Amino acid sequence: QVQLVESGGGLVQAGGSLGLSCAASGRTLSSYGMGWFRQAPGKEREFVAAISWNGGNTYYADSVKGRFTISRDGAKNMVYLQMNSLKPEDTAVYYCAAGGWVRETTYDYWGQGIQVTVSS
């Protein structure tokens, strides 16, 4: 089993930056593909970014490409999402996920989510 805990969310003004962290426990993440997803009020959860097990490949939703960066630190068992040039439409609960690639249904483990609010 893998337990995931997100941190770093909060309130930021449009155009600002915020960094999310995902800490894993229970098992090393070194063999897992990792991802970030988000769910805005009244909308379905959507894919944001993914990183392969060794960090060699990344993939982004078009809506965040060029603004968000996903990374991982195997030694610390952590995954990160750096969010720059934030827009009000980035407001959502952000979820860390482990064990899959891009498609939501491929991920085995999920964090509880953390709120990110971007004010205009």
Side-chain angles (χ1 to χ4, degrees):
Q1 282 283 26
V2 175
Q3 292 79 43
L4 303 173
V5 178
E6 301 94 342
S7 62
L11 174 65
V12 63
Q13 287 189 331
S17 298
L18 205 59
L20 301 182
S21 299
C22 175
S25 61
R27 188 176 292 182
T28 179
L29 295 179
S30 60
S31 61
Y32 288 88
M34 300 294 297
W36 286 95
F37 289 76
R38 67 187 182 186
Q39 186 168 20
K43 295 186 177 181
E44 294 187 352
R45 188 157 58 185
E46 64 176 4
F47 167 77
V48 175
I51 188 166
S52 60
W53 67 274
N54 63 354
N57 290 300
T58 57
Y59 189 79
Y60 298 91
D62 288 342
S63 58
V64 307
K65 201 173 296 182
R67 300 188 298 122
F68 291 12
T69 302
I70 188 171
S71 61
R72 66 190 301 163
D73 185 332
K76 296 182 178 179
N77 229 22
M78 298 283 292
V79 178
Y80 307 97
L81 185 69
Q82 179 62 38
M83 305 183 291
N84 298 327
S85 302
L86 283 161
K87 305 174 182 180
E89 51 264 43
D90 294 318
T91 295
V93 175
Y94 282 72
Y95 298 88
C96 175
W101 180 249
V102 180
R103 286 175 55 199
E104 183 175 347
T105 55
T106 66
Y107 288 87
D108 297 317
Y109 305 102
W110 292 84
Q112 80 288 352
I114 192 162
Q115 179 69 46
V116 171
T117 303
V118 184
S119 62
S120 57

